[in-house]
Amino acid sequence: MITHEQIPTVLDHPVYDTNGNKIGDAKHVFLDDTTGQPEWVSVKTGLFGTSESFVPIHDASIVEDHLEVPYAKDTVKDAPNVDVDAGGHLSEDEEHILYEHYHIEWDAVWQQANRPGEGGWARAGTTGTSVPSGDETDASATAVSGTARPDDAMTRSEERMHVGVERREAGRARLRKYVVTEEVQQTVPVRHEEVRVEREPITDENRDAALSGPEITDAEHEVILHEERPVTQTETVPVERVRMSTEEHTEEETVRGQVRKERIDTEGVDDEGGRDT
């Protein structure tokens, strides 16, 4: 990370990528308004230095007489063009665009910069103050030397809780088919034959039939008896189709956390803003 004291060493000096390729010359260093630490450097690129690209210098380092940034030359040259306002500030939208170009997560920048007592990337939404090179105004030279502009204001910060959701596996459901054997019972009628002996007396109607055989002799007569028995047979038939599907239900869940806030107390000042006597 480049310190405030190293800014004069950076301005108007070459800027190289990690492969040793010269990108251009450093023209301006932009400070974070909250921390006062260097945040961006503008590099003159293109033919005769006609273009100016912005590069994060949080992970940059000074090597001998030049600044080395952890980005390829083409990445820097393709950085989005942003217009710095007359006060030498980058807007929040412009910073956001640059963060996306260099694949720096906006939320991670916000959380790291809002930890009290820690350095790091500028807080999301803050603007950078330009520190020009030494060939401009006297005020610029003062900024280059590392002397901060007098400021008797006190900054009060507070933490904000950002709540999101993550999708994770909560369980599994499956369909499994298996075979069971059950006893079934059904009543059906069955028939069978039984022998019944019938005797009839000799009458004039049956006398001729009774005397048609031999008078005295041995004889047999056989009758075949029949009966029905239950017979079972099974067949497989489809009875239903079963499938699984999912549906989402939305529930309200309260998330609680702790955030820290700074408070500013006054001493020697009455409630109306005057000096307490």
Side-chain angles (χ1 to χ4, degrees):
M1 178 177 180
I2 304 301
T3 64
H4 201 284
E5 290 73 16
Q6 293 175 309
I7 293 178
T9 308
V10 173
L11 295 176
D12 293 324
H13 284 74
V15 179
Y16 286 77
D17 65 8
T18 53
N19 296 321
N21 300 315
K22 181 180 178 181
I23 302 174
D25 294 326
K27 187 63 177 175
H28 299 85
V29 171
F30 285 75
L31 307 180
D32 175 61
D33 286 347
T34 302
T35 64
Q37 296 300 317
E39 179 185 3
W40 301 91
V41 62
S42 64
V43 183
K44 284 289 187 179
T45 60
L47 186 62
F48 305 115
T50 55
S51 299
E52 193 168 357
S53 301
F54 284 80
V55 190
I57 56 174
H58 179 263
D59 295 324
S61 58
I62 296 179
V63 180
E64 296 179 352
D65 62 342
H66 65 269
L67 178 69
E68 186 173 294
V69 294
Y71 302 100
K73 179 178 180 179
D74 292 340
T75 301
V76 177
K77 295 181 66 175
D78 293 339
N81 293 325
V82 297
D83 294 326
V84 180
D85 62 22
H89 281 69
L90 291 172
S91 69
E92 177 181 345
D93 293 338
E94 290 168 340
E95 277 197 314
H96 203 162
I97 293 173
L98 290 171
Y99 279 133
E100 290 181 350
H101 175 73
Y102 288 102
H103 303 290
I104 301 173
E105 294 186 6
W106 185 256
D107 290 340
V109 170
W110 191 96
Q111 292 174 5
Q112 184 175 3
N114 278 272
R115 295 172 184 166
E118 295 186 11
W121 287 102
R123 174 165 50 88
T126 62
T127 56
T129 302
S130 173
V131 178
S133 59
D135 59 354
E136 298 187 15
T137 64
D138 294 337
S140 301
T142 301
V144 170
S145 65
T147 303
R149 184 175 52 190
D151 188 357
D152 57 359
M154 181 179 296
T155 300
R156 186 181 69 84
S157 303
E158 64 183 28
E159 295 178 338
R160 300 287 176 85
M161 184 171 69
H162 297 268
V163 180
V165 296
E166 64 174 357
R167 190 178 183 89
R168 61 185 180 88
E169 183 177 310
R172 297 192 180 188
R174 62 171 59 89
L175 289 176
R176 182 172 62 90
K177 185 171 70 172
Y178 58 95
V179 178
V180 297
T181 302
E182 297 179 351
E183 294 289 338
V184 295
Q185 180 176 307
Q186 185 175 346
T187 301
V188 295
V190 293
R191 296 176 298 177
H192 67 277
E193 296 178 341
E194 296 181 354
V195 174
R196 184 179 62 183
V197 178
E198 298 179 355
R199 299 175 184 272
E200 61 181 17
I202 302 299
T203 62
D204 291 340
E205 287 78 7
N206 61 13
R207 182 178 298 276
D208 293 337
L211 297 177
S212 62
E215 294 183 0
I216 301 296
T217 183
D218 294 331
E220 280 187 1
H221 185 70
E222 184 179 80
V223 176
I224 298 176
L225 303 177
H226 296 85
E227 67 177 4
E228 294 178 341
R229 292 184 178 179
V231 177
T232 62
Q233 181 179 356
T234 61
E235 63 173 334
T236 302
V237 294
V239 292
E240 67 176 347
R241 297 277 291 169
V242 181
R243 66 171 55 87
M244 290 194 303
S245 62
T246 61
E247 58 181 8
E248 289 189 353
H249 296 269
T250 302
E251 300 176 352
E252 296 292 334
E253 185 171 340
T254 302
V255 179
R256 292 182 173 85
Q258 294 181 342
V259 295
R260 295 178 295 177
K261 298 182 179 181
E262 295 177 343
R263 293 287 185 260
I264 298 178
D265 293 332
T266 60
E267 295 181 3
V269 179
D270 58 18
D271 293 339
E272 296 182 356
R275 182 174 182 82
D276 191 7
T277 58

